[in-house]
Amino acid sequence: MTRYILRRLLQAIPLLFVISLVLFFLMQNMGDPIATMGGRNVTRSADRERLKRQLGLDKPIIVQYLYWLAGNDWAKADLDGDGIAETPGTRRGVLRGDFGLSLVNKKPVTQVIWERLPNTLLLMLTAEAMILIFALLIGIYSALKQYSTFDNIITTITFLFYSMPVFFFALVTMYIFAVNFKKWGLPYLPTVGMFEPTAGKTPLQVAWHMVLPTATLSFGFIAGYSRYIRSAMLEAMGQDYVRTAKAKGLPKPEIVYIHALKNAALPIVTIIALDLPFLLGGAIVTERIFGWPGMGRLFLDHVSRGDTPVVMGILMMIAVAVVIFQLIADILYAWLDPRIRYT
Amino acid sequence: MNRRQVILDLKDLRTRFHIAEGTVYAVNGVSLTLHECETIAIVGESGCGKSVTMLSVMGLIPVPPGEIVSGQAFYRGRDLLALSEAEMEHIRGKELAMVFQDPMTALNPVLTIGRQISEPLRVHLNMDHATAQQRVIELLEQVGIPDPKNRMNDYPHQFSGGMRQRAMLAMALACAPSVLIADEPTTALDVTIQAQIIELVTRLRDALCMAVIWITHDLGVVAGLAERVIVMYAGLVVEEASVDELYDDPRHPYTLALLAALPRIDRRRDRRLKSIPGAPPNLLVMPHGCPFAPRCEFVFDRCRAETPPLLPVAIEHRARCWYDVVNGKPFE
Amino acid sequence: MESIAPPSKGSIANLSPDVLETPPLSLGQLTWRRFRRHKMANFGAIMLILLVLYAFGGAFVFSEAYANKTETGARLQAPSREHPFGTDTVGRDILARTIYGGQISILIGLTAMLVELVIGVTVGAISGFFGGLIDSLLMRITEAVIVIPQIFLLLVMAKYFAASIPNITILGRTFSGSVVVIILVIGVTTWPYLARIVRSQFLSIKENDFILAARATGTSTTEIIFRHILPNSIAPIIVSGTLSVASAITLEAYISFLGLGVRPPTATWGNMLEGAYNYIETAWWLWFFPGALIALIVLSINFVGDGLRDALDPHSRAI
Ligand SMILES: Nc1ncnc2c1ncn2[C@@H]1O[C@H](COP(=O)(O)OP(=O)(O)OP(=O)(O)O)[C@@H](O)[C@H]1O
Ligand SMILES: [Mg+2]
């Protein structure tokens, strides 16, 4: 097993390398970093030149990538443009945990991300928990009641929700539970931010503000996964081993929740890992609509301002997270399914 | 010989399946009796309703698409088909146990063998974990699994086909049932393993005085195992007799054909196996007349018009045919 | 029949009299028949036709100039007789804009699907057919694209290309250059899933006897690929392509919604939603009509895709 993990990690290195290289090249034209940085006060072309040299933008792109990756504290930069490189660089490079400074606010990228990460994690973990709980409940129940009214209604609703764009769901629920509930004098849900500034950031406030974003982020996945679990449960319930379990005289709950469910739900582990990128994608829209101060909104804000270091930092973190998550899922799957052994 | 008590008495069982193409008339009025400590064999070609008959008795027919239209199955005087699901749970695995055809799929792939064998012990005998473990080891030993202490922690995929079927047997025998239904337990295994399993069941049956219903489509394995044979065709019992009687004096043309198709050592090597001409019956239409008529070499008008009843033809020997194969002419 | 035990379990179904009497159907006919029996798919197909009629037929009722005409005096008007769907923040008629926006959204869906198809099928086919080094190289690239969440990639690429394409004029109509950008960007980020499907199809079909036979008789590689393997893997490609149209329409809506998509004045259902959530309390019609149209078309296409999947499934028993 250790060897398998090591091998997978080794395989991930070239993958991440390729991703970073492609993204870096892609990002070159994203905007004018000088304009992003200096705003109005860098109009003189001499200043521009100096800034460019400071940022290393005068170097060939491959060198820039190298500096990004490994830092430039081992090289000297020619700041005054006299052809002599005399000032040593200060960047330590991504490999040593330095993602550079944000062009917008000059803060270290890691710090900028770090400030937002917990909010996104809170949202995503809650959503993932909701997804699992509801998908399992709905999927198992409608499988056990196949072709019942409940099953038919659920099948239709899941199909509707499965096809519904995230923003439409968000806007409709906002309109109903925030705007109209308020109008009708009912307790209405908040639509913006994490807490009421006047009430402060109490857990209750945050939980209350999370209701709509979590629902928005999870509804599509609940619909998709419950459809999956329903059909997997139906398939498992028709298997010979379930008949054997019945022939043994086991009570129904034991047949359903141990014999059938253990087989039907195993692949969920893999599906969750493979869907992580989609969940992140959902998070970006959700955070934007509900003004949730997470990484998704951070990303949007900085993409639109062409803040390459932050955007690169977020994308690389996501790539690493996705790769590691898939590895964990594979290990977990092997651990749960006795038929699979990695060597 | 049948002064022993009747333990299972099946009366006019009819089971159907409602599927997209129509209704499958799988079992069309099967009656049979089983006595204590007796072994009977149910024989017939694939799809003739052997499994469905016994699954109906066990209450294991999936509903829908299945439907038990009529019939009774008295086990020690109680009609199993009239019991509730909860009552059946106490009978299945405790009084009546079943072993299935394919040991590859009949065991749960994600639970250990030990756990699967201990389940009936837990639910029916309320054994605690330690006692159940001990019993599982004994059972595995009994069915001839070497090193049971360690092997009970294995998963099914770590067992060979023969070992899995032994484990299935251990599971079925866990609560010492009065009736064991073995649904072609050896079909998926190769010949030597097949013989071992048959030998094992015979031994355990004698030790526990268990009644056994052995389902097979191979008349060859029946001889050393069963006392009586029931031949089924298209969801009907077409002949019923003691083993010797059936071999020596078959009365139904279908049984004759089955026996003729059997490879036998006393036959000349080069003689080709005789197969039964014609297609197997179409169960999507309600049988009208004798279901075997289209393939029967003795067929005459009456066969197509009326379904023959199961009538006694000798002592303890009944057949469902309008034609007297012994005298070569129709019955009166 | 050799012995007493014919093995097939399905023999009963095969023998049912009405099946025996029907003449064999071609694959296309069979698919069509199965599709027609799929209730949801029929519903989806009809909805889809209506939506296409709405977007393209509506052009005969309203002119594009009308759809793009701003009227500051008539800002944010609620639905009325004059403007059945209301007006937007600069006073444009939302009904007319959903018609022209629909055209662009459908167009983007279809063309992005074509881009995806070309890349995905090519990569998948090469990977599956040739295997070896080129396969592992292509599969690493595929993986790399999948690892980054698509929306993130889309946003970066949309931003990257945004400035570089000027407006274009086709058939006397001017489109914002960003339409082309969006089409390419969606196509270029969606193909990996299709490539994987095609690759696995190729891998399994490649080993079939009839391919070996074709090779043995000296059939050329291109002919094997285009004559033998591709036609046999067409079913999952069709299904995947259909569903891709829906996902491309959604993706366009996402990036336009987030403000990096198609630029005005060209309308799409997606960019009509941009900033609409700021008016959630005051002007529901701003987001409701375009949003509902997107939800409807995605739903219809998914229904059709589902129906196609079932109809094209060779193992499906339904006749
Ligand atoms: N769940 C089911 N749904 C529909 N039809 C079924 C079902 N189970 C059995 N049948 C049908 O009932 C008939 C009898 O099947 P059964 O399994 O009893 O045959 P069998 O005699 O046991 O054959 P084999 O030797 O192959 O096990 C067959 O035609 C079969 O297709
Ligand atoms: Mg059977």
Side-chain angles (χ1 to χ4, degrees):
Chain A
M1 190 56 123
T2 326
R3 274 187 55 191
Y4 171 77
I5 297 173
L6 277 177
R7 203 180 65 223
R8 283 282 301 267
L9 286 175
L10 280 179
Q11 280 170 353
I13 291 172
L15 181 68
L16 291 171
F17 178 74
V18 169
I19 292 174
S20 69
L21 199 64
V22 172
L23 286 177
F24 195 86
F25 278 80
L26 203 57
M27 219 94 38
Q28 287 317 299
N29 275 23
M30 221 173 65
D32 180 4
I34 305 295
T36 305
M37 250 192 109
R40 229 158 253 119
N41 47 24
V42 198
T43 39
R44 280 197 353 220
S45 72
D47 287 348
R48 287 184 63 93
E49 286 307 310
R50 198 172 45 77
L51 250 176
K52 257 191 168 167
R53 282 196 298 272
Q54 224 168 31
L55 291 170
L57 296 177
D58 55 331
K59 297 271 191 314
I61 179 157
I62 194 76
V63 176
Q64 289 184 38
Y65 175 75
L66 210 64
Y67 284 178
W68 177 81
L69 190 69
N72 62 356
D73 49 1
W74 41 270
K76 284 195 168 57
D78 171 23
L79 284 194
D80 45 18
D82 58 4
I84 309 158
E86 63 282 303
T87 325
T90 51
R91 285 159 58 184
R92 295 161 53 76
V94 170
L95 291 179
R96 285 178 287 168
D98 177 8
F99 281 81
L101 298 180
S102 159
L103 299 180
V104 174
N105 53 20
K106 315 273 191 318
K107 283 196 217 161
V109 170
T110 37
Q111 188 197 330
V112 174
I113 295 177
W114 201 245
E115 282 165 7
R116 298 293 194 89
L117 188 61
N119 294 344
T120 292
L121 282 182
L122 178 66
L123 190 61
M124 292 204 4
L125 287 176
T126 318
E128 196 68 79
M130 292 297 139
I131 291 169
L132 277 179
I133 292 170
F134 283 105
L136 281 170
L137 283 178
I138 296 171
I140 294 172
Y141 194 74
S142 53
L144 293 183
K145 305 270 174 215
Q146 194 190 8
Y147 304 132
S148 66
T149 320
F150 174 87
D151 180 40
N152 287 334
I153 293 173
I154 282 296
T155 306
T156 317
I157 292 182
T158 49
F159 211 105
L160 283 176
F161 276 9
Y162 180 72
S163 305
M164 189 181 283
V166 171
F167 51 78
F168 194 61
F169 180 91
L171 293 168
V172 170
T173 49
M174 253 178 163
Y175 189 65
I176 297 172
F177 296 108
V179 177
N180 279 322
F181 269 39
K182 189 174 180 182
K183 219 184 275 171
W184 301 331
L186 294 169
Y188 59 94
L189 289 165
T191 56
V192 178
M194 284 181 86
F195 53 87
E196 232 46 78
T198 48
K201 194 176 176 178
T202 62
L204 202 68
Q205 271 289 322
V206 176
W208 189 234
H209 278 74
M210 266 173 74
V211 175
L212 281 181
T214 312
T216 301
L217 192 49
S218 46
F219 80 94
F221 292 93
I222 293 177
Y225 290 7
S226 59
R227 277 162 64 84
Y228 169 80
I229 288 172
R230 175 180 180 272
S231 66
M233 275 303 279
L234 282 176
E235 201 195 314
M237 292 297 287
Q239 294 294 314
D240 283 359
Y241 55 77
V242 165
R243 194 177 60 186
T244 308
K246 275 188 201 150
K248 277 191 274 193
L250 292 191
K252 180 134 189 184
E254 200 157 330
I255 296 173
V256 173
Y257 295 106
I258 294 175
H259 281 263
L261 185 59
K262 191 153 187 220
N263 281 282
L266 266 184
I268 277 285
V269 175
T270 314
I271 295 176
I272 288 177
L274 289 177
D275 277 354
L276 181 64
F278 294 99
L279 191 67
L280 281 159
I284 203 172
V285 180
T286 308
E287 289 183 4
R288 170 63 172 264
I289 297 177
F290 293 99
W292 189 263
M295 292 232 299
R297 240 186 62 193
L298 182 76
F299 181 80
L300 266 180
D301 292 347
H302 289 254
V303 163
S304 50
R305 291 197 239 166
D307 189 353
T308 318
V310 173
V311 172
M312 255 332 256
I314 294 177
L315 287 178
M316 285 320 291
M317 268 190 51
I318 288 176
V320 172
V322 169
V323 166
I324 289 182
F325 210 73
Q326 281 170 1
L327 176 60
I328 292 176
D330 285 351
I331 293 168
L332 202 62
Y333 192 89
W335 182 64
L336 290 171
D337 188 337
R339 283 162 296 187
I340 297 172
R341 284 283 165 266
Y342 293 123
T343 41
Chain B
M1 87 186 235
N2 282 341
R3 250 163 291 142
R4 290 171 297 192
Q5 276 229 308
V6 171
I7 189 165
L8 188 68
D9 189 5
L10 199 56
K11 287 206 159 77
D12 193 37
L13 178 76
R14 289 165 199 272
T15 303
R16 292 169 191 171
F17 292 95
H18 305 286
I19 57 172
E21 288 89 343
T23 301
V24 181
Y25 297 88
V27 176
N28 302 305
V30 167
S31 304
L32 57 86
T33 52
L34 177 70
H35 301 83
E36 273 181 341
C37 316
E38 184 191 24
T39 301
I40 64 172
I42 302 183
V43 188
E45 63 189 353
S46 191
C48 70
K50 308 179 296 286
S51 302
V52 172
T53 305
M54 292 330 294
L55 289 171
S56 306
V57 171
M58 292 286 286
L60 293 176
I61 293 289
V63 184
E67 182 198 359
I68 298 179
V69 186
S70 70
Q72 286 119 1
F74 292 103
Y75 168 76
R76 295 193 195 275
R78 287 166 85 193
D79 182 5
L80 298 179
L81 303 185
L83 294 185
S84 72
E85 183 63 24
E87 288 169 315
M88 257 328 261
E89 273 172 14
H90 293 293
I91 299 213
R92 285 199 287 253
K94 185 159 184 254
E95 312 281 338
L96 276 76
M98 191 157 175
V99 177
F100 297 97
Q101 174 168 356
D102 190 353
M104 299 299 170
T105 55
L107 287 165
N108 196 321
V110 298
L111 301 174
T112 62
I113 298 279
R115 181 194 159 111
Q116 296 187 59
I117 298 177
S118 70
E119 277 171 340
L121 298 170
R122 273 196 301 104
V123 300
H124 295 305
L125 307 178
N126 293 320
M127 280 191 191
D128 60 46
H129 184 71
T131 328
Q133 296 279 300
Q134 202 48 47
R135 181 85 181 106
V136 168
I137 295 172
E138 283 167 30
L139 281 164
L140 284 173
E141 221 153 49
Q142 224 171 13
V143 296
I145 303 274
D147 190 18
K149 220 180 210 123
N150 289 318
R151 298 309 297 257
M152 65 185 279
N153 296 320
D154 281 359
Y155 288 91
H157 72 276
Q158 290 162 295
F159 272 37
S160 69
M163 283 165 76
R164 285 188 217 185
Q165 203 54 290
R166 285 165 193 266
M168 282 290 294
L169 267 174
M171 202 156 77
L173 299 177
C175 301
S178 314
V179 178
L180 174 71
I181 301 166
D183 187 355
E184 309 193 31
T186 58
T187 311
L189 306 173
D190 63 48
V191 188
T192 36
I193 314 272
Q194 203 172 338
Q196 288 172 12
I197 298 278
I198 293 174
E199 208 271 327
L200 177 66
V201 173
T202 325
R203 190 161 50 77
L204 294 168
R205 172 197 66 191
D206 295 342
L208 301 167
C209 186
M210 194 167 52
V212 176
I213 298 178
W214 189 280
I215 299 175
T216 177
H217 50 228
D218 184 0
L219 257 179
V221 307
V222 168
L225 187 73
E227 296 161 41
R228 269 189 309 132
V229 181
I230 287 164
V231 181
M232 280 185 68
Y233 189 82
L236 287 169
V237 174
V238 293
E239 185 161 7
E240 182 186 345
S242 71
V243 173
D244 299 336
E245 177 102 7
L246 192 91
Y247 275 85
D248 296 342
D249 187 15
R251 295 301 182 92
H252 196 281
Y254 177 61
T255 317
L256 286 170
L258 280 182
L259 286 168
L262 210 61
R264 285 164 76 150
I265 4 169
D266 54 352
R267 267 201 210 126
R268 278 198 21 226
R269 270 266 196 77
D270 54 19
R271 211 172 117 187
R272 282 203 60 214
L273 264 178
K274 215 175 131 190
S275 63
I276 304 175
N282 178 7
L283 296 180
L284 278 167
V285 289
M286 185 71 165
H288 178 71
C290 174
F292 190 60
R295 297 165 82 184
C296 183
E297 51 181 310
F298 307 109
V299 64
F300 64 110
D301 291 346
R302 192 178 188 185
C303 305
R304 299 196 186 88
E306 280 175 78
T307 311
L310 191 60
L311 290 175
V313 288
I315 303 160
E316 306 264 340
H317 188 167
R318 296 187 293 166
R320 190 188 284 279
C321 187
W322 294 125
Y323 192 82
D324 186 351
V325 289
V326 178
N327 298 315
K329 60 177 177 50
F331 283 115
E332 298 316 309
Chain C
M1 224 183 305
E2 243 302 300
S3 76
I4 51 170
S8 87
K9 263 248 151 84
S11 52
I12 306 237
N14 298 340
L15 281 168
S16 98
D18 47 302
V19 175
L20 283 179
E21 278 155 29
T22 19
L25 295 168
S26 77
L27 191 65
Q29 285 170 310
L30 207 62
T31 307
W32 176 235
R33 268 178 69 166
R34 290 206 199 112
F35 186 82
R36 279 216 331 243
R37 297 208 179 162
H38 202 289
K39 273 194 217 118
M40 303 280 235
N42 283 307
F43 170 77
I46 291 169
M47 281 300 307
L48 198 56
I49 292 170
L50 290 179
L51 284 166
V52 171
L53 279 179
Y54 174 79
F56 290 89
F60 295 104
V61 183
F62 300 101
S63 72
E64 194 177 12
Y66 176 68
N68 290 340
K69 190 184 74 172
T70 60
E71 195 180 327
T72 35
R75 292 176 62 233
L76 291 175
Q77 282 186 0
S80 62
R81 177 161 301 173
E82 196 187 344
H83 301 289
F85 287 0
T87 60
D88 66 8
T89 48
V90 287
R92 292 175 295 206
D93 181 63
I94 291 188
L95 173 61
R97 283 186 76 70
T98 54
I99 286 169
Y100 284 90
Q103 293 178 8
I104 304 295
S105 282
I106 293 170
L107 195 80
I108 288 178
L110 289 173
T111 42
M113 180 266 282
L114 286 179
V115 174
E116 176 199 347
L117 229 51
V118 170
I119 308 179
V121 171
T122 312
V123 171
I126 292 176
S127 219
F129 190 81
F130 294 105
L133 195 65
I134 186 153
D135 175 37
S136 29
L137 191 74
L138 287 173
M139 281 305 107
R140 289 299 84 74
I141 295 176
T142 313
E143 239 170 78
V145 181
I146 288 179
V147 162
I148 304 282
Q150 200 178 358
I151 295 196
F152 288 72
L153 210 51
L154 279 173
L155 291 170
V156 171
M157 290 178 73
K159 173 83 181 160
Y160 172 86
F161 291 115
S164 47
I165 299 189
N167 281 2
I168 40 174
T169 309
I170 305 172
L171 300 173
R173 284 179 59 184
T174 310
F175 297 99
S176 154
S178 48
V179 173
V180 180
V181 173
I182 295 302
I183 291 169
L184 288 177
V185 163
I186 292 176
V188 160
T189 51
T190 326
W191 60 267
Y193 295 95
L194 181 63
R196 285 189 167 181
I197 295 171
V198 173
R199 173 176 177 268
S200 67
Q201 284 284 317
F202 265 64
L203 280 178
S204 65
I205 296 174
K206 191 171 74 168
E207 302 302 331
N208 275 347
D209 286 344
F210 71 96
I211 301 294
L212 295 182
R215 262 198 220 179
T217 53
T219 318
S220 72
T221 305
T222 35
E223 197 163 329
I224 288 179
I225 292 181
F226 287 102
R227 275 277 172 72
H228 296 289
I229 307 186
L230 211 49
N232 278 296
S233 45
I234 205 76
I237 297 178
I238 290 178
V239 174
S240 170
T242 309
L243 298 175
S244 288
V245 177
S247 82
I249 290 176
T250 327
L251 282 170
E252 183 277 319
Y254 281 141
I255 34 182
S256 293
F257 178 79
L258 295 173
L260 284 166
V262 174
R263 306 271 91 226
T266 303
T268 71
W269 286 340
N271 73 5
M272 291 177 69
L273 288 164
E274 189 187 343
Y277 56 89
N278 293 325
Y279 298 90
I280 185 90
E281 293 196 42
T282 46
W284 57 271
W285 55 92
L286 269 190
W287 53 266
F288 179 78
F289 294 107
L293 283 166
I294 295 172
L296 263 182
I297 199 167
V298 170
L299 186 70
S300 321
I301 296 174
N302 283 349
F303 275 143
V304 171
D306 235 38
L308 280 177
R309 191 200 320 268
D310 291 348
L312 287 166
D313 181 0
H315 306 297
S316 163
R317 297 212 311 142
I319 308 153

